[in-house]
Amino acid sequence: MYTAMDERFIRQTILPQLGPQGQHRLGEARVLVAGCGALGTHTAEALLRAGVRRLLLVDRDVVEVHNLHRVALLTPADLGRPKAEAAAEALLRIDPEAEVIPYTAHLGPALAEKLVPRVDLVVDGLDNLETRYLVNDACVKHGLPWIYTAVLATYGMTMAIVPGLGPCLRCLFPTPPAPGTLPTCAESGILGPVPQALAAIQAATAIQVLTRSPDLRPGELLHLDLWTHRTERVTVARAVGCPTCGERRFEFLAQGSGTSVLCGDTIQVLPRHRGPLDLAHLAARLAPLGEVRLERGLLVAQIGKVALTVFPDGRALVKGVRDPERAQALYDQYLSR
Ligand SMILES: [Zn+2]
């Protein structure tokens, strides 16, 4: 137990639900924060302040001005910076002795297989269901708890998933929806305090998981509308024949995906061949086509109506097109090597 920190957590350790032993367990735990948008940053800050001092942060995106009305930790000074790095720096200002490791990368099958077995819990800061299915696959495969949390407009929902003790995400949503059929916060909007409220519930649930609280209710789906103040609780049962937690077929871990539509009018394109990209060389090649600049280690290009952000690992965010195939075509046209 880190006695030097006892004073910091004294108001929490006197809670009978935690006590010194619960606080000690928080200090020993390692948590993966999947996504560093509003949900992820608020959850990460709440967990760190509560004494969870080992955090892995994953996010593939950079900070944009329309994120700022709802995120924690990030400020206008971070615009254009990778979200995971900016959030990690802010967390280390709150607790300089914490271990916070940022990964600016797409959370795909390889990274999920690498990071999930290293942690005690995964919390949800994601903006798409596809990656949530992947996290679900990885957590069920490795027998690790995770918390599903999603927000849209004025409401959100959350559920603790503990493999072996309750349903998984695929018991709740058996069939993945077709790409582009679910509303996103770019179309439906998002009320600023909504991710903060759901992140608070997610962080409290995370504390229950990490302290092995008997009060944890795996498989209880909580729906909260922050505008009407209505809450609903539904007990989700394990689905007979669930491909993930029943048959242990991990389809999302097995597949690689070229493009994915992010929250907003942004499409991510992954490189077909792994390996670092010479951004300076690419900038010189694209310069005659439009406005091209190298900024904070990224290449940012505006070519006609299309905006491209290219990462050193060859990943690109394409803005200004709605069709993933068109985004892939533009990627091939501008970035193929
Ligand atoms: Zn299941």
Side-chain angles (χ1 to χ4, degrees):
M1 194 174 302
Y2 36 91
T3 48
M5 300 302 289
D6 280 1
E7 196 71 15
R8 182 190 287 215
F9 303 114
I10 190 77
R11 297 289 187 273
Q12 195 168 270
T13 50
I14 59 170
L15 286 170
Q17 290 90 338
L18 258 80
Q21 191 189 31
Q23 191 64 47
H24 178 67
R25 284 179 174 160
L26 297 184
E28 295 293 304
R30 185 172 277 118
V31 173
L32 171 61
V33 181
C36 296
L39 261 182
T41 52
H42 281 289
T43 306
E45 179 173 352
L47 287 178
L48 183 82
R49 287 192 190 274
V52 180
R53 312 179 80 214
R54 296 171 180 172
L55 297 171
L56 308 186
L57 310 181
V58 182
D59 197 290
R60 57 191 169 188
D61 221 337
V62 296
V63 183
E64 295 182 271
V65 70
H66 55 76
N67 303 141
L68 295 177
H69 85 289
R70 62 189 187 278
V71 291
L73 304 171
L74 310 173
T75 71
D78 298 312
L79 290 175
R81 297 186 66 200
K83 285 179 182 168
E85 284 171 34
E89 268 180 34
L91 289 165
L92 287 170
R93 279 196 294 276
I94 295 169
D95 184 350
E97 288 167 41
E99 173 198 296
V100 184
I101 305 171
Y103 294 84
T104 299
H106 169 64
L107 185 56
L111 192 59
E113 281 281 19
K114 179 179 156 190
L115 298 184
V116 166
R118 288 190 198 169
V119 298
D120 303 291
L121 170 71
V122 181
V123 292
D124 195 339
L126 296 164
D127 61 0
N128 68 89
L129 199 51
E130 188 184 315
T131 313
R132 288 188 175 104
Y133 277 117
L134 175 76
V135 166
N136 188 62
D137 267 12
C139 287
V140 172
K141 181 179 173 185
H142 294 283
L144 206 87
W146 79 282
I147 302 171
Y148 158 69
T149 306
V151 290
L152 189 74
T154 61
Y155 60 89
M157 60 188 101
T158 181
M159 179 173 95
I161 293 170
V162 184
L165 284 186
C168 78
L169 185 70
R170 216 144 171 212
C171 296
L172 178 62
F173 304 123
T175 314
T181 54
L182 284 183
T184 69
C185 55
E187 295 147 18
S188 305
I190 177 91
L191 186 70
V194 167
Q196 191 172 5
L198 270 295
I201 299 169
Q202 172 161 249
T205 308
I207 290 169
Q208 290 184 329
V209 172
L210 297 173
T211 58
R212 298 170 219 164
S213 166
D215 301 326
L216 177 72
R217 290 174 300 280
E220 185 184 88
L221 180 71
L222 172 69
H223 187 283
L224 167 66
D225 189 312
L226 215 57
W227 198 254
T228 60
H229 293 187
R230 289 227 168 93
T231 57
E232 238 179 281
R233 284 184 192 80
V234 181
T235 303
V236 179
R238 273 190 81 174
V240 179
C242 170
T244 310
C245 70
E247 298 171 10
R248 296 187 66 80
R249 279 191 286 119
F250 304 115
E251 295 166 6
F252 294 86
L253 272 180
Q255 68 184 214
S257 139
T259 59
S260 45
V261 181
L262 309 190
C263 189
D265 56 345
T266 305
I267 295 173
Q268 171 179 256
V269 185
L270 295 179
R272 291 199 173 94
H273 311 286
R274 302 256 158 206
L277 194 63
D278 183 347
L279 290 182
H281 178 74
L282 180 65
R285 207 153 58 76
L286 296 181
L289 303 176
E291 238 178 83
V292 182
R293 58 186 197 278
L294 290 170
E295 204 176 83
R296 301 179 193 251
L298 310 174
L299 182 150
V300 182
Q302 184 74 42
I303 303 171
K305 287 183 180 163
V306 175
L308 277 178
T309 303
V310 185
F311 292 77
D313 63 1
R315 205 159 49 81
L317 303 177
V318 184
K319 262 191 156 183
V321 293
R322 295 195 70 86
D323 176 15
E325 281 183 21
R326 176 86 186 117
Q328 181 72 57
L330 286 167
Y331 181 95
D332 292 342
Q333 182 184 345
Y334 297 135
L335 279 98
S336 58
R337 288 172 279 168

